[in-house]
Amino acid sequence: EVQLVQSGAEVKKPGESLKISCKGSGYTFTNYWIGWVRQMPGKGLEWMAIIYPGDSDTRYSPSFQGQVTISADKSISTAYLQWSSLKASDTAMYYCARKPDGSNWFDPWGQGTLVTVSS
Amino acid sequence: QSALTQPASVSGSPGRSITISCTGTSSDIGGYNFVSWYQHHPGKAPKLITYDVTKRPSGVSNRFSGSKSGNTASLTISGLQAEDEADYYCCSYETGRTWVFGGGTKLTVL
Protein backbone atom coordinates (compact mmCIF):
# COMPACT_ATOMS: atom_id res chain seq x y z
CA GLU A 1 0.00 0.00 0.00
CA VAL A 2 1.29 3.44 -0.94
CA GLN A 3 1.48 5.62 2.16
CA LEU A 4 2.80 8.98 3.24
CA VAL A 5 3.24 9.25 7.01
CA GLN A 6 3.95 12.66 8.47
CA SER A 7 5.64 13.60 11.72
CA GLY A 8 3.58 14.58 14.75
CA ALA A 9 2.12 17.86 15.88
CA GLU A 10 4.50 20.61 16.96
CA VAL A 11 4.14 23.56 19.33
CA LYS A 12 6.81 26.22 18.89
CA LYS A 13 7.56 29.80 19.88
CA PRO A 14 8.03 32.64 17.39
CA GLY A 15 11.60 32.78 16.14
CA GLU A 16 12.26 29.08 16.64
CA SER A 17 13.24 26.74 13.84
CA LEU A 18 11.34 23.64 12.79
CA LYS A 19 11.64 20.73 10.39
CA ILE A 20 8.68 18.43 9.74
CA SER A 21 8.84 15.21 7.78
CA CYS A 22 6.91 13.04 5.35
CA LYS A 23 7.96 9.41 4.92
CA GLY A 24 6.91 7.50 1.83
CA SER A 25 6.42 3.75 1.67
CA GLY A 26 5.02 1.17 -0.72
CA TYR A 27 6.57 2.73 -3.82
CA THR A 28 9.91 3.86 -5.32
CA PHE A 29 10.42 7.15 -3.48
CA THR A 30 12.83 8.60 -6.03
CA ASN A 31 10.38 8.24 -8.94
CA TYR A 32 7.67 10.58 -7.61
CA TRP A 33 7.51 14.21 -6.58
CA ILE A 34 6.47 15.21 -3.04
CA GLY A 35 4.52 18.43 -2.66
CA TRP A 36 3.65 20.44 0.45
CA VAL A 37 0.31 22.15 1.05
CA ARG A 38 -0.72 24.55 3.83
CA GLN A 39 -4.14 24.89 5.41
CA MET A 40 -4.42 27.77 7.84
CA PRO A 41 -7.16 27.57 10.49
CA GLY A 42 -10.56 27.87 8.86
CA LYS A 43 -9.04 28.46 5.43
CA GLY A 44 -8.45 26.57 2.21
CA LEU A 45 -5.55 24.64 0.76
CA GLU A 46 -2.50 26.51 -0.51
CA TRP A 47 0.17 24.95 -2.70
CA MET A 48 3.61 25.68 -1.24
CA ALA A 49 6.43 23.77 -2.90
CA ILE A 50 7.47 20.49 -4.47
CA ILE A 51 10.59 18.36 -4.67
CA TYR A 52 11.71 15.44 -6.84
CA PRO A 53 13.79 13.24 -4.54
CA GLY A 54 15.49 11.57 -7.50
CA ASP A 55 17.55 14.67 -8.29
CA SER A 56 16.37 17.20 -5.65
CA ASP A 57 14.76 19.44 -8.27
CA THR A 58 12.57 21.90 -6.36
CA ARG A 59 9.92 24.48 -7.19
CA TYR A 60 8.32 27.00 -4.85
CA SER A 61 5.15 29.04 -5.01
CA PRO A 62 6.13 32.72 -5.16
CA SER A 63 4.12 33.15 -1.95
CA PHE A 64 6.39 30.75 -0.07
CA GLN A 65 9.74 31.26 -1.81
CA GLY A 66 12.26 32.31 0.84
CA GLN A 67 9.85 31.54 3.68
CA VAL A 68 10.39 27.77 3.82
CA THR A 69 12.88 25.22 2.55
CA ILE A 70 12.07 21.77 1.24
CA SER A 71 14.48 18.88 1.05
CA ALA A 72 14.55 15.10 0.82
CA ASP A 73 16.70 12.23 2.03
CA LYS A 74 16.19 9.45 -0.48
CA SER A 75 18.16 6.98 1.65
CA ILE A 76 15.27 6.98 4.15
CA SER A 77 12.45 7.88 1.71
CA THR A 78 11.66 11.06 3.61
CA ALA A 79 10.86 14.60 2.51
CA TYR A 80 11.11 17.65 4.77
CA LEU A 81 9.63 21.12 5.15
CA GLN A 82 11.57 23.51 7.32
CA TRP A 83 11.47 27.00 8.76
CA SER A 84 14.44 28.90 10.14
CA SER A 85 12.41 31.42 12.11
CA LEU A 86 8.74 30.67 12.75
CA LYS A 87 6.03 33.32 12.93
CA ALA A 88 2.60 33.12 14.51
CA SER A 89 1.18 33.24 10.99
CA ASP A 90 2.86 29.88 10.25
CA THR A 91 0.27 28.23 12.50
CA ALA A 92 -1.46 25.77 10.20
CA MET A 93 -1.96 22.17 9.17
CA TYR A 94 0.65 21.08 6.65
CA TYR A 95 0.07 18.20 4.25
CA CYS A 96 2.47 16.37 1.99
CA ALA A 97 1.23 14.66 -1.17
CA ARG A 98 2.75 12.52 -3.90
CA LYS A 99 2.78 13.51 -7.57
CA PRO A 100 3.78 11.12 -10.34
CA ASP A 101 6.50 12.53 -12.59
CA GLY A 102 4.93 14.03 -15.70
CA SER A 103 1.49 14.27 -14.12
CA ASN A 104 -0.42 17.13 -12.55
CA TRP A 105 -2.31 15.55 -9.68
CA PHE A 106 -1.56 14.68 -6.08
CA ASP A 107 -2.32 11.28 -4.60
CA PRO A 108 -2.12 10.05 -1.93
CA TRP A 109 -1.82 12.64 0.80
CA GLY A 110 -0.24 12.38 4.22
CA GLN A 111 -2.37 12.69 7.34
CA GLY A 112 -1.15 16.22 8.03
CA THR A 113 1.10 17.84 10.64
CA LEU A 114 -0.36 20.55 12.83
CA VAL A 115 2.12 23.32 13.58
CA THR A 116 1.20 25.80 16.30
CA VAL A 117 3.36 28.87 16.82
CA SER A 118 2.56 30.81 19.96
CA SER A 119 4.42 32.77 22.56
CA GLN B 1 -0.35 33.50 -8.50
CA SER B 2 -3.89 33.98 -7.14
CA ALA B 3 -6.15 31.27 -5.81
CA LEU B 4 -8.70 29.91 -8.24
CA THR B 5 -12.23 31.16 -7.54
CA GLN B 6 -14.81 28.74 -6.13
CA PRO B 7 -18.18 29.41 -4.49
CA ALA B 8 -17.86 29.30 -0.72
CA SER B 9 -20.75 26.88 -0.35
CA VAL B 10 -23.25 24.79 -2.25
CA SER B 11 -26.04 22.53 -1.06
CA GLY B 12 -28.30 19.87 -2.43
CA SER B 13 -30.76 17.21 -1.39
CA PRO B 14 -29.95 13.50 -1.37
CA GLY B 15 -30.30 11.99 -4.83
CA ARG B 16 -30.01 15.32 -6.63
CA SER B 17 -27.02 16.73 -8.52
CA ILE B 18 -24.82 19.72 -7.80
CA THR B 19 -22.07 21.45 -9.71
CA ILE B 20 -19.13 23.34 -8.24
CA SER B 21 -17.35 25.85 -10.45
CA CYS B 22 -13.69 26.82 -10.39
CA THR B 23 -12.60 29.90 -12.31
CA GLY B 24 -9.05 30.78 -13.21
CA THR B 25 -7.21 32.43 -16.07
CA SER B 26 -5.52 31.56 -19.34
CA SER B 27 -2.33 31.01 -17.34
CA ASP B 28 -3.81 28.10 -15.43
CA ILE B 29 -7.18 26.45 -16.13
CA GLY B 30 -7.59 27.96 -19.58
CA GLY B 31 -4.07 27.12 -20.71
CA TYR B 32 -3.84 23.48 -19.71
CA ASN B 33 -6.01 20.38 -19.31
CA PHE B 34 -4.47 19.75 -15.91
CA VAL B 35 -7.32 20.39 -13.46
CA SER B 36 -7.79 18.05 -10.52
CA TRP B 37 -10.40 17.99 -7.75
CA TYR B 38 -10.02 16.90 -4.14
CA GLN B 39 -12.54 15.94 -1.49
CA HIS B 40 -11.61 16.90 2.06
CA HIS B 41 -13.46 15.70 5.10
CA PRO B 42 -12.30 17.74 8.12
CA GLY B 43 -9.69 15.92 10.13
CA LYS B 44 -8.81 13.57 7.29
CA ALA B 45 -6.37 13.66 4.40
CA PRO B 46 -7.65 15.20 1.16
CA LYS B 47 -8.62 12.66 -1.49
CA LEU B 48 -8.14 12.91 -5.25
CA ILE B 49 -11.48 12.48 -7.06
CA THR B 50 -10.78 13.66 -10.61
CA TYR B 51 -7.68 14.61 -12.57
CA ASP B 52 -6.69 15.88 -16.03
CA VAL B 53 -10.11 17.60 -16.09
CA THR B 54 -12.28 14.54 -16.74
CA LYS B 55 -10.46 11.41 -15.52
CA ARG B 56 -11.35 9.48 -12.38
CA PRO B 57 -8.91 7.42 -10.30
CA SER B 58 -9.85 3.81 -9.84
CA GLY B 59 -12.12 3.36 -6.87
CA VAL B 60 -13.76 6.77 -7.16
CA SER B 61 -17.48 6.65 -7.79
CA ASN B 62 -18.71 7.55 -11.28
CA ARG B 63 -21.10 9.96 -9.56
CA PHE B 64 -18.18 12.40 -9.64
CA SER B 65 -17.38 13.98 -13.00
CA GLY B 66 -15.21 16.86 -14.13
CA SER B 67 -15.39 19.22 -17.10
CA LYS B 68 -13.89 22.45 -18.37
CA SER B 69 -14.88 25.32 -20.61
CA GLY B 70 -12.46 28.15 -21.23
CA ASN B 71 -11.06 29.40 -17.93
CA THR B 72 -13.67 27.60 -15.81
CA ALA B 73 -13.60 24.01 -14.60
CA SER B 74 -16.52 22.27 -12.95
CA LEU B 75 -17.13 19.28 -10.69
CA THR B 76 -20.54 17.63 -10.84
CA ILE B 77 -21.72 15.22 -8.18
CA SER B 78 -24.81 13.26 -9.11
CA GLY B 79 -27.02 11.17 -6.86
CA LEU B 80 -25.93 13.10 -3.78
CA GLN B 81 -25.30 11.03 -0.68
CA ALA B 82 -24.80 12.06 2.92
CA GLU B 83 -21.15 11.00 2.81
CA ASP B 84 -20.49 13.50 0.01
CA GLU B 85 -20.77 16.30 2.55
CA ALA B 86 -17.23 17.70 2.63
CA ASP B 87 -15.03 20.51 1.37
CA TYR B 88 -14.04 20.37 -2.30
CA TYR B 89 -10.98 21.96 -3.85
CA CYS B 90 -9.96 22.40 -7.46
CA CYS B 91 -6.30 22.55 -8.43
CA SER B 92 -4.63 23.53 -11.69
CA TYR B 93 -1.15 23.48 -13.12
CA GLU B 94 -0.09 27.01 -13.97
CA THR B 95 2.54 28.68 -16.12
CA GLY B 96 5.74 28.79 -14.13
CA ARG B 97 5.72 25.07 -13.40
CA THR B 98 3.76 25.40 -10.19
CA TRP B 99 0.23 24.57 -9.10
CA VAL B 100 -2.60 26.57 -7.56
CA PHE B 101 -5.66 25.56 -5.53
CA GLY B 102 -9.11 27.06 -5.42
CA GLY B 103 -10.42 28.63 -2.24
CA GLY B 104 -12.58 25.59 -1.51
CA THR B 105 -16.33 24.92 -1.51
CA LYS B 106 -18.28 23.50 1.40
CA LEU B 107 -20.91 21.04 0.22
CA THR B 108 -23.91 20.54 2.48
CA VAL B 109 -26.26 17.63 1.84
CA LEU B 110 -29.63 18.76 3.09
Side-chain angles (χ1 to χ4, degrees):
Chain A
E1 180 195 6
V2 174
Q3 268 192 314
L4 296 177
V5 178
Q6 298 185 230
S7 50
E10 301 274 1
V11 179
K12 292 289 192 178
K13 291 182 169 24
E16 291 185 332
S17 62
L18 176 63
K19 192 174 192 177
I20 61 174
S21 66
C22 169
K23 182 174 176 61
S25 63
Y27 71 98
T28 301
F29 187 71
T30 50
N31 290 355
Y32 293 80
W33 295 76
I34 294 288
W36 288 94
V37 177
R38 182 176 78 174
Q39 185 173 35
M40 299 177 75
K43 303 296 185 183
L45 304 177
E46 299 174 89
W47 190 87
M48 299 175 70
I50 197 166
I51 186 166
Y52 189 70
D55 60 7
S56 294
D57 186 13
T58 58
R59 304 175 196 173
Y60 290 86
S61 159
S63 301
F64 292 94
Q65 179 83 50
Q67 308 305 307
V68 296
T69 302
I70 58 172
S71 60
D73 184 340
K74 53 190 179 185
S75 70
I76 55 172
S77 302
T78 300
Y80 301 97
L81 175 66
Q82 69 180 78
W83 296 258
S84 58
S85 181
L86 286 160
K87 302 185 282 285
S89 57
D90 293 317
T91 295
M93 181 71 82
Y94 293 87
Y95 293 99
C96 63
R98 188 186 78 157
K99 187 191 83 66
D101 192 26
S103 78
N104 293 280
W105 41 269
F106 298 91
D107 179 66
W109 292 56
Q111 83 277 19
T113 296
L114 180 62
V115 174
T116 303
V117 183
S118 175
S119 54
Chain B
Q1 184 210 43
S2 299
L4 306 173
T5 301
Q6 299 181 230
S9 63
V10 297
S11 62
S13 301
R16 304 301 291 265
S17 296
I18 62 94
T19 296
I20 300 171
S21 63
C22 171
T23 301
T25 69
S26 58
S27 295
D28 38 65
I29 292 176
Y32 310 93
N33 289 320
F34 296 143
V35 177
S36 53
W37 287 89
Y38 301 86
Q39 178 189 62
H40 190 201
H41 288 105
K44 305 189 84 173
K47 176 186 174 184
L48 175 71
I49 51 173
T50 69
Y51 66 98
D52 291 351
V53 180
T54 61
K55 299 176 183 174
R56 257 188 325 271
S58 82
V60 172
S61 171
N62 60 8
R63 298 186 298 106
F64 295 90
S65 62
S67 61
K68 190 189 92 166
S69 178
N71 295 338
T72 298
S74 298
L75 174 72
T76 297
I77 309 174
S78 59
L80 272 176
Q81 299 178 1
E83 66 247 35
D84 298 333
E85 188 161 292
D87 297 321
Y88 291 84
Y89 294 89
C90 58
C91 179
S92 176
Y93 177 79
E94 58 176 359
T95 305
R97 305 191 308 152
T98 56
W99 288 263
V100 60
F101 282 97
T105 298
K106 181 178 179 59
L107 169 62
T108 300
V109 180
L110 302 170

